[in-house]
């Protein structure tokens, strides 16, 4: 049996799986004015995770905003079409 070299891990590290609630709480602390370093110290989450979560949240926010703007444009067009249809029905002879 071969010996395991000193200093090498004998089994793989377990990855931390953070809940959505913890991520939201962590990002809320940033919005309250704390720095990522302060939040990391307070929550025990690595600072690099906090930066990544913030970046991912911002990307999701931009995508959501784009989707909302497309929906708003569609609804405005539909509203205009319905107003025109209503006006045409009101002007039609009975």
């Amino acid at each position: 049996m071969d010996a395991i070299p000193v200093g090498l891990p004998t089994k793989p590290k377990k990855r931390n799986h953070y809940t959505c609630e913890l991520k939201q709480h962590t990002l809320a602390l940033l919005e309250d004015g704390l720095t990522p370093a302060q939040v990391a110290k307070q929550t025990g989450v690595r600072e690099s995770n906090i930066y990544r979560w913030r970046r991912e949240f911002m990307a999701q926010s931009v995508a959501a905003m784009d989707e909302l703007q497309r929906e708003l444009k569609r609804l405005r067009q539909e509203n205009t079409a319905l107003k025109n249809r209503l006006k045409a029905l009101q002007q039609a002879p009975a």
Side-chain angles (χ1 to χ4, degrees), residues 26-43:
T26 302
L27 294 174
L29 292 174
L30 291 175
E31 290 178 5
D32 289 343
L34 295 176
T35 66
Q38 291 169 325
V39 174
K41 191 173 188 178
Q42 185 175 341
T43 60

Side-chain angles (χ1 to χ4, degrees), residues 12-55:
K13 274 187 160 182
K14 289 185 178 180
R15 290 186 62 185
N16 290 330
H17 293 280
Y18 298 104
T19 64
C20 290
E21 291 80 17
L22 176 65
K23 291 177 183 181
Q24 290 171 347
H25 173 71
T26 302
L27 294 174
L29 292 174
L30 291 175
E31 290 178 5
D32 289 343
L34 295 176
T35 66
Q38 291 169 325
V39 174
K41 191 173 188 178
Q42 185 175 341
T43 60
V45 174
R46 289 179 47 204
E47 197 171 339
S48 61
N49 286 341
I50 295 170
Y51 282 111
R52 188 179 78 246
W53 296 344
R54 183 171 62 180
R55 189 174 55 249

Side-chain angles (χ1 to χ4, degrees), residues 78-92:
E78 182 180 342
N79 191 29
T80 300
L82 290 171
K83 283 181 180 179
N84 290 339
R85 187 171 176 200
L86 179 62
K87 184 186 272 186
L89 289 173
Q90 288 173 340
Q91 292 175 355

